């Protein structure tokens, strides 16, 4: 039986380290898929689980489930209210600012199949992403019109949770995430595939912090980088800063 790494578990919650390429639950968008985090965790721990937030299919990292409907409702409300501190790590194109606060409203992207009845005139919603730069590198390889290729390792703290928020915000500020086939730069994605063997989105949910919905005790969940992401940061000389970041 396939199992996922359990990062945290108590009587009300369970968190796992979701690999890239795994859907959280069934979706009309990927009807051919047969593997889902929800079913894998349910079978692994032998009880029903309830999703309380989402991670994009290509994003790896900390994914939290509730173990009963009441806890699911409480946690979903807290995620919606911005009361859950979320942390992400990503590799982006170019040398970014040392830190920034991106305040750029986003319209919800709609899918032709699953969102056929959705309101396509719905106004853009507030979307805020804070980030800080952890490291940079300049490689002696021409990509596109430049003689060298520059990249940054960023740590994100999104303050809202819009669909594809970090990915779309980084496209907006001209530092798209490497491996992003929807909002990224195909030339740099190809460079990483060819030179680093990387075929994934380099975005990972590395931490969740919140007050427990039943005990009010502070919970801090950390997710180690997946091996394919770790290999990239190691190849770029960022292993220490990526794996030993302050919490």
């Amino acid at each position: 039986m396939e199992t996922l790494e359990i990062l945290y578990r108590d009587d009300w919650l369970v968190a796992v380290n979701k690999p890239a390429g795994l859907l959280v639950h069934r979706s009309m968008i990927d009807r051919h898929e047969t593997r889902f985090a929800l079913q894998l965790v349910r079978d692994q721990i032998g009880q029903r689980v309830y999703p309380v937030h989402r991670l994009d299919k290509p994003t790896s990292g900390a994914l939290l489930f509730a173990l009963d409907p009441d806890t699911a409702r409480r946690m979903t409300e807290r995620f919606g209210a911005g009361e859950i501190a979320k942390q992400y790590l990503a590799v982006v194109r170019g040398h970014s600012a040392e830190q920034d606060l991106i305040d750029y409203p986003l319209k919800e992207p709609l899918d032709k199949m699953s969102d056929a009845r959705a309101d396509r005139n719905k106004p853009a919603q507030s979307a805020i992403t804070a980030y800080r730069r952890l490291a940079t590198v300049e490689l002696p390889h021409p990509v596109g019109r430049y003689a060298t290729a520059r990249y940054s390792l960023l740590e994100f703290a999104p303050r809202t949770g819009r669909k594809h928020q970090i990915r779309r915000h980084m496209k907006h500020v001209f530092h798209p995430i490497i491996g992003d086939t929807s909002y990224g730069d195909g030339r740099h994605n190809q460079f990483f595939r060819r030179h680093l063997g990387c075929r994934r989105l380099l975005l990972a949910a590395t931490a969740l912090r919140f007050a427990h919905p039943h005990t009010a005790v502070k919970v801090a969940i950390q997710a180690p980088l997946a091996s394919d992401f770790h290999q990239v940061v190691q190849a770029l000389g960022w292993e220490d800063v990526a794996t030993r970041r302050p919490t």
Side-chain angles (χ1 to χ4, degrees):
M1 180 179 70
E2 182 179 2
T3 60
L4 301 180
E5 178 187 7
I6 293 180
L7 304 171
Y8 176 87
R9 184 178 179 182
D10 62 23
D11 292 337
W12 301 278
L13 299 164
V14 61
V16 298
N17 198 359
K18 186 188 86 69
L22 181 66
L23 285 169
V24 174
H25 48 66
R26 291 184 184 276
S27 169
M28 291 181 64
I29 301 173
D30 290 281
R31 289 183 294 179
H32 65 284
E33 289 289 352
T34 59
R35 297 168 58 252
F36 313 95
L38 189 148
Q39 283 84 357
L40 290 175
V41 177
R42 177 199 63 194
D43 294 344
Q44 183 173 342
I45 70 174
Q47 67 180 99
R48 189 172 180 180
V49 298
Y50 303 81
V52 297
H53 68 127
R54 64 185 177 217
L55 287 182
D56 296 342
K57 180 181 178 181
T59 303
S60 60
L63 178 64
L64 185 66
F65 292 96
L67 299 181
D68 63 85
D70 177 58
T71 303
R73 177 186 58 79
R74 297 188 190 196
M75 291 302 296
T76 299
E77 290 175 351
R78 293 187 180 190
F79 271 103
E83 297 176 4
I84 312 296
K86 298 171 287 185
Q87 182 177 293
Y88 290 77
L89 197 71
V91 179
V92 305
R93 184 193 71 188
H95 285 180
S96 73
E98 289 189 8
Q99 60 183 15
D100 197 5
L101 182 68
I102 305 170
D103 187 347
Y104 180 71
L106 296 171
K107 292 197 71 170
E108 183 175 1
L110 301 178
D111 178 78
K112 292 181 180 179
M113 292 170 31
S114 59
D115 297 317
R117 298 182 180 180
D119 180 6
R120 298 185 181 274
N121 296 315
K122 186 177 180 180
Q125 297 173 294
S126 171
I128 302 173
T129 304
Y131 76 78
R132 67 188 183 104
R133 192 181 71 201
L134 302 181
T136 61
V137 69
E138 184 167 1
L139 304 178
H141 297 280
V143 178
R145 56 183 175 157
Y146 298 103
T148 60
R150 292 181 172 186
Y151 303 100
S152 300
L153 179 69
L154 305 185
E155 183 179 81
F156 296 90
R159 299 183 183 178
T160 53
R162 308 306 176 197
K163 188 174 183 180
H164 301 167
Q165 177 175 313
I166 297 175
R167 297 163 62 185
R168 296 169 71 191
H169 270 174
M170 295 318 294
K171 177 185 178 181
H172 174 68
V173 297
F174 306 106
H175 293 293
I177 297 174
I178 300 302
D180 194 334
T181 57
S182 297
Y183 308 104
D185 185 319
R187 296 167 301 176
H188 290 269
N189 294 347
Q190 185 178 19
F191 173 78
F192 268 66
R193 287 194 294 268
R194 186 188 316 121
H195 291 271
L196 297 174
C198 176
R199 299 180 178 276
R200 59 158 291 171
L201 174 70
L202 290 175
L203 176 65
T206 54
L208 292 170
R209 300 180 184 87
F210 55 90
H212 197 283
H214 294 285
T215 66
V217 172
K218 291 183 179 180
V219 177
I221 298 170
Q222 302 282 338
L225 291 178
S227 59
D228 50 3
F229 200 139
H230 185 269
Q231 288 171 6
V232 171
V233 298
Q234 187 177 43
L236 296 176
W238 295 338
E239 183 174 20
D240 287 346
V241 69
T243 58
R244 299 176 187 175
R245 336 183 273 293
T247 59

